[in-house]
Amino acid sequence: MIEIKNIDGVVLYTAETATDVRAALEEAVGAGTDLYRARLVGARLDGARLVGARLVGARLVGARLVGARLDGARLVGA
């Protein structure tokens, strides 16, 4: 189980079967979860499919996004 939390520690999404943050984030995006202010500092998201993700205000410092699909993603303030 992996929880994606916002910068205040509030759980935004719980992925019951994901084995890493990338899979949990893809699952959350696929479910249409609003990931406003998600805390993804240092996350390894290489190759993640985040098409249409709502990541406004997300903390992505040090996150790896090499080859990630971000088409239509909302990243204002991220």
Side-chain angles (χ1 to χ4, degrees):
M1 176 181 76
I2 294 179
E3 293 179 333
I4 298 173
K5 297 179 181 181
N6 72 8
I7 60 174
D8 298 316
V10 175
V11 175
L12 301 173
Y13 187 81
T14 301
E16 297 293 335
T17 59
T19 57
D20 58 33
V21 175
R22 176 184 163 217
L25 193 59
E26 288 177 332
E27 186 179 313
V29 169
T33 304
D34 187 347
L35 298 164
Y36 175 71
R37 297 177 70 199
R39 188 179 194 307
L40 299 167
V41 174
R44 296 190 60 122
L45 304 173
D46 294 338
R49 184 168 169 74
L50 304 176
V51 175
R54 293 180 299 228
L55 290 163
V56 173
R59 296 290 189 252
L60 295 164
V61 175
R64 289 183 44 110
L65 292 157
V66 176
R69 294 284 314 270
L70 295 165
D71 307 353
R74 294 181 209 126
L75 297 163
V76 175

